[in-house]
Each structure stands twice: as structure tokens, then as C-alpha cells.
Amino acid sequence: DTAVSQTPKYLVTQMGNDKSIKCEQNLGHDTMYWYKQDSKKFLKIMFSYNNKELIINETVPNRFSPKSPDKAHLNLHINSLELGDSAVYFCASSVQSSEAFFGQGTRLTVV
Amino acid sequence: GQQVMQIPQYQHVQEGEDFTTYCNSSTTLSNIQWYKQRPGGHPVFLIQLVKSGEVKKQKRLTFQFGEAKKNSSLHITATQTTDVGTYFCAGPWTGYSTLTFGKGTMLLVSP
């Protein structure tokens, strides 16, 4: 069984569209993350969420919003997509800030 | 905010040569973690260091945590082509359940 799974793996969409990326973990972890990896391979934290708090990187545009229906899921919703949003988005989970397990990534291309 | 700096950004070595990447934090870390990301893959956890001055080894990989718990290094002895990838250090934001990643060191090994 896949520990952290995210869908879709590839997403090609037009500017201005709204899209969601789903993430699920079956590890029983209490903390989930979304990271953006650009062409330079930098891993930028976007959100961190556990059952107590949502931490938002203040540099993330408010077009991005995390949605957590339960502890095992943290979905990423993006409004009004822009060309600069093209990147690989990784979901991850951990127990507090210990070892993080990553999903396979979603390659988003905005055209 | 907390910053985790990593150098070098890129290194190209011949197979058999040694390689070292360095990680520095602007604040004291409760722990530091290292991850490896193969080309086209996702970050995979390698190790976690917790104690001041700690040294851990995994075959040809040696990890060190500084005495002040603000810096760390990863050394690979006699690199192999299978070592190719990007190596990231990561540390928790003080007081938060969030992992901040360094910008990574991309290692290329020529046969």
C-alpha cells in the first residue's frame, strides 16, 4: 500500500482555471504538508497542517488554499491558475516534525 | 523567519571522488534531517540527527550535527553513479510542526 498518495500525477490546464490536487496518507500521521518544487529544485513549504493548527507560508498567494476533510487528507485547491504556478507539488506527512514521507508529486503545467 | 542555507548548490564529481554538502541554520535546531531526491523522483528520508556533535554513518555516507546544533554536513566517500540526485537538509521551525528544507545540493557523478 502506498503510504502517501496524491492525484493526479500530471495536470495540464489553462490559465484562469481552478484545480485541486488530492493527498491521502495511511500512516496515521498527525501533520501534513504541501511543498512546491520549481525548476531550480527548491522545495518551498506552502502549508503545514495538523489537528491543532494550520501554518501558512505568508509568501503563498491566497489563490492557494488547503482543505482537510479529516486527518488523513490534505487537498490543495488553486484558483485562477497562472503560468508561474507551473511546478511539481509534493504532499508529505509526518508525526510532528519528524521523518517526512512524500507523495510521488503532481506535475502541474499551466498553459 | 527561520532559514536553512545549504551549499554548494551544485557539484559535479568523477566516480570515486568524495563529496560533501553543508547545511546551516539561522537558529538552533531540535533535530536535522537529510533527504535524497533522485531525478524525476520524490524526496526520500535518509537520516535524522538529534544530539549535539552527533555523527552517524550509513555505508559510504557520514552525517554530522554541529556542537551548537545549527549546522550539519553530509559526506559521501568514493561516490558512485547511484549517488546522483539532490540532497536536502531539513529542520523544524522553532515551535512549529513544520519542516523547512534547504535549497538542496545537486550531485552529478560521471563514470
Side-chain angles (χ1 to χ4, degrees):
Chain A
D1 286 341
T2 302
V4 181
S5 60
Q6 55 182 107
T7 55
K9 189 173 182 180
Y10 300 97
L11 181 57
V12 180
T13 187
Q14 292 186 327
M15 286 176 55
N17 284 350
D18 301 340
K19 290 294 179 183
S20 292
I21 307 172
K22 296 184 177 181
C23 179
E24 176 182 5
Q25 55 96 2
N26 62 6
L27 298 168
H29 287 169
D30 60 5
T31 305
M32 297 185 73
Y33 312 85
W34 276 105
Y35 289 90
K36 177 182 180 181
Q37 187 170 50
D38 59 23
S39 57
K40 294 183 178 179
K41 303 299 183 184
F42 299 155
L43 270 173
K44 174 184 172 183
I45 180 72
M46 302 180 70
F47 303 101
S48 168
Y49 184 81
N50 63 21
N51 56 6
K52 298 178 182 177
E53 61 188 349
L54 170 65
I55 300 172
I56 302 172
N57 186 327
E58 61 189 11
T59 67
V60 174
N62 57 16
R63 298 181 294 103
F64 291 79
S65 57
K67 298 186 189 302
S68 180
D70 55 58
K71 288 178 63 175
H73 297 82
L74 184 65
N75 304 323
L76 181 64
H77 190 74
I78 316 170
N79 291 326
S80 303
L81 278 156
E82 300 177 357
L83 292 177
D85 297 333
S86 296
V88 179
Y89 292 82
F90 286 102
C91 175
S93 73
S94 69
V95 174
Q96 296 292 305
S97 57
S98 62
E99 174 185 355
F101 290 78
F102 282 77
Q104 298 293 316
T106 296
R107 182 172 295 277
L108 171 65
T109 304
V110 183
V111 296
Chain B
Q2 178 174 325
Q3 292 187 355
V4 179
M5 309 300 292
Q6 196 171 347
I7 56 169
Q9 188 171 331
Y10 172 83
Q11 188 152 6
H12 185 180
V13 300
Q14 294 293 316
E15 191 171 24
E17 293 181 339
D18 293 354
F19 159 77
T20 305
T21 173
Y22 300 90
C23 183
N24 291 286
S25 170
S26 57
T27 60
T28 300
L29 299 169
S30 59
N31 71 76
I32 194 155
Q33 301 167 28
W34 287 92
Y35 293 77
K36 177 183 178 181
Q37 183 178 20
R38 294 181 185 273
H42 59 280
V44 175
F45 175 83
L46 293 176
I47 207 162
Q48 176 174 288
L49 304 172
V50 178
K51 299 178 182 178
S52 170
E54 188 170 15
V55 178
K56 287 188 176 180
K57 292 190 176 183
Q58 289 180 349
K59 298 183 179 178
R60 295 177 295 104
L61 278 60
T62 301
F63 304 85
Q64 291 188 315
F65 201 8
E67 293 291 340
K69 302 183 73 172
K70 296 178 73 173
N71 60 286
S72 180
S73 65
L74 159 58
H75 179 83
I76 303 179
T77 304
T79 54
Q80 300 175 359
T81 54
T82 54
D83 295 325
V84 165
T86 301
Y87 292 84
F88 294 94
C89 63
W93 275 2
T94 303
Y96 293 105
S97 299
T98 298
L99 280 176
T100 300
F101 280 77
K103 292 189 174 180
T105 297
M106 185 181 295
L107 173 64
L108 182 62
V109 181
S110 295

